[in-house]
PDB file of all heavy atoms in Angstrom:
ATOM      1  N   ASP A  68     -55.196 126.250 186.054  1.00  0.00           N
ATOM      2  CA  ASP A  68     -54.671 125.077 185.533  1.00  0.00           C
ATOM      3  C   ASP A  68     -54.193 125.420 184.160  1.00  0.00           C
ATOM      4  O   ASP A  68     -54.595 126.409 183.522  1.00  0.00           O
ATOM      5  CB  ASP A  68     -55.697 123.968 185.512  1.00  0.00           C
ATOM      6  CG  ASP A  68     -56.101 123.507 186.954  1.00  0.00           C
ATOM      7  OD1 ASP A  68     -55.143 123.471 187.816  1.00  0.00           O
ATOM      8  OD2 ASP A  68     -57.261 123.267 187.224  1.00  0.00           O
ATOM      9  N   PRO A  96     -59.394 141.090 186.476  1.00  0.00           N
ATOM     10  CA  PRO A  96     -58.741 141.742 187.567  1.00  0.00           C
ATOM     11  C   PRO A  96     -59.731 142.195 188.652  1.00  0.00           C
ATOM     12  O   PRO A  96     -59.338 142.369 189.810  1.00  0.00           O
ATOM     13  CB  PRO A  96     -58.024 142.910 186.919  1.00  0.00           C
ATOM     14  CG  PRO A  96     -57.800 142.489 185.518  1.00  0.00           C
ATOM     15  CD  PRO A  96     -58.965 141.665 185.191  1.00  0.00           C
ATOM     16  N   TRP A 108     -46.311 152.453 209.981  1.00  0.00           N
ATOM     17  CA  TRP A 108     -46.493 153.602 209.102  1.00  0.00           C
ATOM     18  C   TRP A 108     -47.282 154.674 209.767  1.00  0.00           C
ATOM     19  O   TRP A 108     -48.289 154.413 210.335  1.00  0.00           O
ATOM     20  CB  TRP A 108     -47.154 153.156 207.746  1.00  0.00           C
ATOM     21  CG  TRP A 108     -47.122 154.272 206.757  1.00  0.00           C
ATOM     22  CD1 TRP A 108     -48.058 155.141 206.412  1.00  0.00           C
ATOM     23  CD2 TRP A 108     -45.987 154.665 205.974  1.00  0.00           C
ATOM     24  NE1 TRP A 108     -47.647 156.030 205.511  1.00  0.00           N
ATOM     25  CE2 TRP A 108     -46.362 155.744 205.204  1.00  0.00           C
ATOM     26  CE3 TRP A 108     -44.657 154.198 205.916  1.00  0.00           C
ATOM     27  CZ2 TRP A 108     -45.475 156.440 204.287  1.00  0.00           C
ATOM     28  CZ3 TRP A 108     -43.794 154.780 205.026  1.00  0.00           C
ATOM     29  CH2 TRP A 108     -44.229 155.904 204.221  1.00  0.00           C
ATOM     30  N   PRO A 109     -46.775 155.948 209.716  1.00  0.00           N
ATOM     31  CA  PRO A 109     -45.520 156.371 209.148  1.00  0.00           C
ATOM     32  C   PRO A 109     -44.369 155.854 209.981  1.00  0.00           C
ATOM     33  O   PRO A 109     -44.572 155.444 211.135  1.00  0.00           O
ATOM     34  CB  PRO A 109     -45.627 157.916 209.274  1.00  0.00           C
ATOM     35  CG  PRO A 109     -47.022 158.209 209.603  1.00  0.00           C
ATOM     36  CD  PRO A 109     -47.641 157.038 210.142  1.00  0.00           C
TER      37      PRO A 109
END
Side-chain angles (χ1 to χ4, degrees):
D68 291 323
W108 190 259

